[in-house]
Amino acid sequence: MSNIEYLFKNNRAWAEKINQEDPTFFDTLAEQQKPEYLWIGCSDSRVPANELLGMLPGEVFVHRNIANQVIHTDLNCLSVIQFAVDYLKVKHIIVCGHYGCGGVLASMDNESYGLIDNWLRHIEDVHRFHKEKLDAITDHSEKFNTLCELNVIEQVANVCNTTIVRNAWKSGQELTVHGFVYNLGDGILKDLKVSAGKEALDR
């Protein structure tokens, strides 16, 4: 069996550091969570929600999957959204993709990767929806980055069209959905300017 003792050593060092900075932190954290943000991001290990937002545990409710998808038959994702919206009363849902996303890249070729092909099909649909725009881009890197962005924009629309979010807006709940892309090269988030609130019900 691989030696993973260093993980426990790292954990103890981290907990001690937090305790030194705020001796009441874990007592408060154990009582309840009151995050204002739901983060729907990619499973990529290089895109950690709390760290890149500069937030501590308890401040961001997180759901991650391959290529930050929001699929209307995915009960896992929908359950997270419902819990965040109906019970935690988050004020913001952030869909965050990232440049260099392996899932998006895999959707751009004709290779078969096994079970995940079914998941990637949804990104292929995004490509189909925006075929004219993407086909006009000749540079592969630019096309790849553009598809990463378009994928986020589509997932923001999917979040907005869930019955969970629409019912929250109808009841007057303060809730805004955002689309971001993270740049692995410099650690900076890009706002795609597609934020939507309850005014989206009228569209």
Side-chain angles (χ1 to χ4, degrees):
M1 180 169 50
S2 299
N3 185 355
I4 58 169
E5 183 58 35
Y6 73 96
L7 297 177
F8 296 98
K9 181 180 178 181
N10 290 349
N11 168 251
R12 287 189 294 270
W14 171 78
E16 288 170 8
K17 180 176 181 291
I18 295 291
N19 266 320
Q20 289 171 3
E21 295 172 355
D22 180 1
T24 66
F25 178 80
F26 287 110
D27 288 336
T28 303
L29 190 66
E31 290 177 5
Q32 60 183 334
Q33 60 172 335
K34 290 184 178 179
E36 290 192 3
Y37 307 92
L38 166 60
W39 172 279
I40 300 175
C42 184
S43 298
D44 193 302
S45 61
R46 300 167 295 176
V47 192
N50 283 71
E51 288 88 338
L52 67 87
L53 291 173
M55 292 186 170
L56 292 168
E59 295 184 313
V60 186
F61 197 58
V62 177
H63 175 77
R64 295 168 72 174
N65 61 48
I66 301 297
N68 42 271
Q69 299 289 289
V70 179
I71 298 166
H72 294 304
T73 54
D74 180 3
L75 296 182
N76 186 348
C77 183
L78 294 179
S79 296
V80 170
I81 294 173
Q82 182 179 20
F83 187 80
V85 172
D86 292 350
Y87 297 95
L88 296 178
K89 303 295 183 183
V90 297
K91 294 181 179 178
H92 302 274
I93 298 176
I94 298 167
V95 179
C96 186
H98 66 97
Y99 299 122
C101 179
V104 173
L105 182 62
S107 75
M108 295 175 70
D109 60 37
N110 293 316
E111 299 294 322
S112 177
Y113 297 95
L115 179 64
I116 197 173
D117 291 345
N118 301 283
W119 188 259
L120 298 178
R121 182 72 201 178
H122 297 282
I123 310 173
E124 292 172 16
D125 287 342
V126 174
H127 190 290
R128 180 167 49 84
F129 299 155
H130 302 276
K131 188 176 189 306
E132 185 175 345
K133 178 176 183 175
L134 289 165
D135 286 353
I137 302 172
T138 55
D139 180 77
H140 184 269
S141 293
E142 183 183 352
K143 182 178 291 189
F144 182 17
N145 288 342
T146 301
L147 184 54
C148 289
E149 293 180 356
L150 290 171
N151 180 49
V152 170
I153 293 169
E154 288 294 332
Q155 306 319 313
V156 167
N158 286 346
V159 172
C160 292
N161 285 320
T162 62
T163 55
I164 303 156
V165 170
R166 295 183 71 81
N167 287 339
W169 283 336
K170 287 176 183 176
S171 70
Q173 188 170 333
E174 182 183 350
L175 179 65
T176 308
V177 184
H178 311 272
F180 299 166
V181 172
Y182 178 68
N183 190 332
L184 295 171
D186 59 16
I188 302 299
L189 284 171
K190 176 182 179 180
D191 185 353
L192 294 177
K193 309 293 185 183
V194 291
S195 297
K198 57 186 177 182
E199 70 281 354
L201 287 172
D202 300 325
R203 294 175 189 168

